[in-house]
Amino acid sequence: MFFQVIDILGTIAFAISGVLVALNKRMDPFGVLIIAFVTAVGGGTLRDVMIGIHPVSWMTDMTYVYVIVASVIFAVVLRNKINYLRTSLFLFDTIGIGLYTVVGIEKGLVAGLHPIICIALGTMTACFGGVLRDILCNEIPVIFRKEIYATACILGGLTYFLLREFMANTNLIFVIAILIVITVRLIAVKFKISLPSLYKNKT
């Protein structure tokens, strides 16, 4: 039940982040709904296809569709209050990657995959919806910039498996791993920490 709550919260966070980007691009209502939907389920769809779940999870459980539609309506109706917060998109996106990292890892474990593969699945689940959102909105995906994004997911995944060796409370492990992802991302942005660029200016 706790895992399902995390999954739903991640869906809400990413759907709202998709709405905010779509509204910023001045899309019509249909465009806003599509971007929200793709952002919310894009990563999970890739994950399910890779581990052989057919049909993918959101197609067999209408809860996800209802949650996304409700999130879109909520974000659109309250867009003025949400947009009042400059960091709203960043916060919803950050919360989303934290929640979805754990969801992806847990799905990998259920499929009996190696921990390294599970972390990769968690990272894909967390990041790919945002990649699709940014591509469809004609933006360079955050994951391809210097910002700490996928790295935060990986650190959260490593923390998850480390804690499994010392703790039996799965729910607490979920929460700590999620907080690690969110905290790393927040600290990286706050102090402008980024991965080094491979590009060197010619002198």
Side-chain angles (χ1 to χ4, degrees):
M1 183 63 185
F2 186 73
F3 176 75
Q4 290 178 328
V5 170
I6 291 175
D7 200 0
I8 294 300
L9 289 176
T11 301
I12 294 170
F14 269 137
I16 293 176
S17 78
V19 170
L20 294 175
V21 173
L23 289 175
N24 188 50
K25 293 292 184 178
R26 301 181 181 278
M27 293 187 180
D28 62 22
F30 181 73
V32 172
L33 178 61
I34 293 300
I35 296 300
F37 200 90
V38 167
T39 307
V41 303
T45 298
L46 174 64
R47 176 201 65 223
D48 289 352
V49 169
M50 292 184 70
I51 62 180
I53 297 178
H54 300 291
V56 295
S57 301
W58 63 267
M59 290 184 176
T60 59
D61 187 351
M62 286 298 293
T63 301
Y64 294 98
V65 177
Y66 299 145
V67 166
I68 292 170
V69 172
S71 298
V72 170
I73 294 172
F74 169 82
V76 169
V77 170
L78 298 179
R79 62 184 180 277
N80 292 330
K81 292 184 178 181
I82 294 176
N83 284 332
Y84 181 73
L85 301 173
R86 285 185 172 182
T87 57
S88 57
L89 172 58
F90 164 73
L91 289 175
F92 281 113
D93 198 50
T94 300
I95 292 169
I97 66 171
L99 294 166
Y100 266 14
T101 296
V102 170
V103 171
I105 289 173
E106 190 65 18
K107 291 281 187 176
L109 287 173
V110 171
L113 301 176
H114 188 278
I116 293 177
I117 304 302
C118 290
I119 293 174
L121 277 179
T123 303
M124 291 178 192
T125 305
C127 298
F128 197 74
V131 170
L132 290 176
R133 175 199 65 208
D134 292 342
I135 290 174
L136 291 174
C137 292
N138 199 30
E139 298 282 347
I140 298 175
V142 178
I143 194 175
F144 298 144
R145 305 175 202 165
K146 293 196 301 179
E147 292 184 31
I148 300 295
Y149 196 78
T151 305
C153 301
I154 293 170
L155 291 175
L158 291 172
T159 300
Y160 179 93
F161 283 103
L162 180 63
L163 292 176
R164 278 170 58 91
E165 298 296 321
F166 302 100
M167 298 173 61
N169 189 330
T170 305
N171 291 345
L172 184 58
I173 293 174
F174 285 163
V175 172
I176 295 174
I178 290 167
L179 290 176
I180 288 294
V181 177
I182 294 173
T183 302
V184 169
R185 176 89 170 116
L186 290 175
I187 290 174
V189 171
K190 173 70 174 177
F191 296 100
K192 297 181 179 179
I193 302 171
S194 62
L195 297 176
S197 175
L198 296 177
Y199 176 79
K200 294 183 178 180
N201 292 322
K202 294 182 180 180
T203 56

